[in-house]
């Protein structure tokens, strides 16, 4: 399908770094150009956006400076409907958490960051 191919081409355009070509990997990881985010929805451009995809999880890590501190949020879903909602809002939630952490860290040299990991429905 041409639409699927166009989605892959668009995604590839924004990749800065990946482990896709490494032979011994357990997860796929992509560092994305932070300018991929729409300025209207995400007014402050982060320093880095990372997407990780494993067999039993997917997640994002967003940082607002090269050296940042924050944490990781593990997201569990009660059922398939909640899981579908969590998939749809994973990036938005991660951005909001990281941006909040950035505001908390305003008086220290480190920027704010946050990671979110969404477990697959059968690995709750």
């Amino acid at each position: 399908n041409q639409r699927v191919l166009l989605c892959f081409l668009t995604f590839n355009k924004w990749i800065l770094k990946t482990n896709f070509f490494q032979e011994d990997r357990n997860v796929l990881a992509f560092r994305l150009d932070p300018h991929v985010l729409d300025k209207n929805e995400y007014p402050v451009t982060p320093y880095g956006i990372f997407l990780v995809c494993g067999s039993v999880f997917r997640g994002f890590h967003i940082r607002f400076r090269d050296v940042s501190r924050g944490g990781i949020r593990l997201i569990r879903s009660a059922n398939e409907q909640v899981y579908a909602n969590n998939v749809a809002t994973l990036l938005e939630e991660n951005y909001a958490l990281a941006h909040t952490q950035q505001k908390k860290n305003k008086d220290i040299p480190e920027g704010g960051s946050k990671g979110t990991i969404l477990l697959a429905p059968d690995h709750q």
Side-chain angles (χ1 to χ4, degrees):
N1 189 329
Q2 185 177 4
R3 189 172 174 184
V4 172
L5 182 59
L6 288 173
C7 286
F8 277 117
L9 289 173
T10 301
F11 178 73
N12 286 341
K13 177 178 121 179
W14 295 104
I15 295 174
L16 299 176
K17 194 172 186 180
T18 182
N19 70 342
F20 181 82
F21 301 102
Q22 291 182 347
E23 292 183 24
D24 56 342
R25 61 173 155 50
N26 294 321
V27 301
L28 285 174
F30 304 94
R31 181 173 185 170
L32 304 174
D33 183 336
H35 295 96
V36 69
L37 299 180
D38 182 357
K39 276 287 205 186
N40 294 324
E41 293 181 54
Y42 306 95
V44 181
T45 302
Y47 177 83
I49 302 173
F50 303 84
L51 167 65
V52 291
C53 302
S55 60
V56 298
F57 72 93
R58 66 180 75 182
F60 284 98
H61 173 79
I62 296 177
R63 59 181 50 227
F64 280 90
R65 290 196 193 140
D66 185 22
V67 178
S68 297
R69 60 167 79 172
I72 296 175
R73 176 174 284 185
L74 186 65
I75 302 170
R76 296 175 178 228
S77 307
N79 56 48
E80 290 286 337
Q81 184 177 2
V82 173
Y83 178 77
N85 184 59
N86 287 338
V87 168
T89 60
L90 188 60
L91 178 64
E92 290 82 5
E93 179 178 358
N94 197 155
Y95 179 88
L97 291 167
H99 191 253
T100 300
Q101 191 68 40
Q102 172 69 6
K103 290 178 182 178
K104 286 181 182 178
N105 292 4
K106 68 179 176 47
D107 297 327
I108 61 173
E110 294 87 5
S113 69
K114 201 63 149 182
T116 51
I117 297 173
L118 175 61
L119 296 175
D122 55 344
H123 285 82
Q124 300 294 314

